[in-house]
Amino acid sequence: GRIRFRKRRTPNALTQCKIGNIKYAPPKFYWIIRLFFPEYRFDKVMAFAFGDIIYTKLNPLPQDVFEHEKVHLRQMRYSKLYAIFHFLRYLLSKKFRYESEIEAFSVQYQYGVKLVGREVIRKDTERMARHLAEKDVYGHYATYEQALFDITT
């Protein structure tokens, strides 16, 4: 007979991202992040996802930011090992970095629209697009207008 391989089920973010997976301190490897992204300061960012953990200074973490970070956890397949490869790719490719963030910001935007409506979150959406267009950490890959379009469509 034929050998059948069972498809491995990837756990969804809701089952993986329990409160124990949030740490309210910078990661131990924070110095490596600062080495490549000097403007990245833990006291200035809302959250940072790596592997299966969200690192944040905010307690409680706003739900829209939580939704954003869950996307990154899924992108890293909830694995610290895979997260290392993800981080290297994020570091070396502006396009990959932009696409990773667009996916996360879009989910954050959709969550906000569902919760409070498009008009209420317009300023937050504009801030997200400015971050993508202006911040060194995101690589200046797209204009503000393009980032705004990509987040909202």
Side-chain angles (χ1 to χ4, degrees):
R2 255 174 53 181
I3 298 173
R4 288 194 210 189
F5 294 99
R6 288 177 59 190
K7 187 176 178 183
R8 187 171 163 230
R9 290 186 51 185
T10 304
N12 69 35
L14 290 174
T15 61
Q16 283 294 304
C17 210
K18 302 210 183 325
I19 202 72
N21 289 12
I22 296 177
K23 294 195 176 178
Y24 299 99
K28 291 178 181 159
F29 53 86
Y30 178 62
W31 65 274
I32 296 172
I33 297 164
R34 288 294 307 272
L35 188 65
F36 294 105
F37 301 108
E39 72 282 358
Y40 191 91
R41 295 190 34 209
F42 190 76
D43 60 328
K44 299 286 185 200
V45 298
M46 291 195 175
F48 174 80
F50 189 82
D52 62 347
I53 298 171
I54 296 172
Y55 298 90
T56 183
K57 65 182 179 1
L58 304 175
N59 190 0
L61 183 63
Q63 189 64 35
D64 66 317
V65 177
F66 183 66
E67 297 299 322
H68 175 110
E69 296 305 326
K70 284 191 322 188
V71 170
H72 291 313
L73 295 179
R74 185 178 43 74
Q75 290 168 341
M76 292 179 237
R77 300 181 185 169
Y78 314 101
S79 160
K80 287 183 178 66
L81 181 61
Y82 192 83
I84 292 168
F85 294 108
H86 187 275
F87 177 73
L88 290 173
R89 202 164 163 209
Y90 191 94
L91 177 66
L92 298 172
S93 171
K94 289 181 180 183
K95 182 179 183 206
F96 179 78
R97 195 178 320 160
Y98 181 78
E99 289 170 352
S100 296
E101 293 300 336
I102 280 296
E103 183 182 356
F105 279 126
S106 294
V107 167
Q108 185 175 358
Y109 168 76
Q110 292 301 325
Y111 179 83
V113 167
K114 195 165 44 171
L115 192 66
V116 295
R118 191 169 274 112
E119 278 306 308
V120 176
I121 64 157
R122 185 161 31 116
K123 285 194 189 302
D124 284 341
T125 309
E126 291 168 355
R127 178 188 48 77
M128 292 178 216
R130 261 193 313 283
H131 274 16
L132 280 172
E134 299 169 2
K135 298 278 184 181
D136 287 340
V137 89
Y138 298 123
H140 305 286
Y141 186 78
T143 63
Y144 165 79
E145 291 78 14
Q146 182 65 51
L148 189 61
F149 177 80
D150 289 343
I151 290 169
T152 57
T153 56

